[in-house]
Amino acid sequence: KFEQEFYQPGSHSNSHSMLQFLIEHQSPSTNDLVYALGPEPAVAEILAGNREFTVAQVKALGDLFKVDQGVFI
């Protein structure tokens, strides 16, 4: 599903598409996302691509998904 919606040969991923990819493949709970990103309205704005990540969120997402924090920058 992710690949069909977001993958365009020759294009680069961005921090929001990487988050969508990781959510799809690792299926974190809503509570995990709230812990990493803040209140549910903030999570919704981030998932919609309407809000950028803070430094604290980048660190928390790296820890949550066990990936290098650089994928969210």
Side-chain angles (χ1 to χ4, degrees):
K1 179 180 176 187
F2 172 84
E3 291 84 357
Q4 293 170 348
E5 291 182 29
F6 294 99
Y7 181 71
Q8 308 261 332
S11 68
H12 299 280
S13 65
N14 62 41
S15 57
H16 288 90
S17 65
M18 183 56 69
L19 177 59
Q20 292 290 344
F21 174 82
L22 290 167
I23 288 171
E24 186 173 312
H25 287 276
Q26 295 189 23
S27 303
S29 71
T30 300
N31 287 339
D32 289 337
L33 293 174
V34 166
Y35 179 79
L37 299 173
E40 287 188 41
V43 173
E45 286 184 30
I46 289 169
L47 293 178
N50 296 329
R51 180 185 268 190
E52 296 300 318
F53 302 116
T54 66
V55 173
Q57 290 168 330
V58 166
K59 181 178 179 343
L61 288 169
D63 293 344
L64 173 63
F65 291 108
K66 297 177 180 35
V67 297
D68 186 276
Q69 298 168 8
V71 302
F72 301 110
I73 297 174

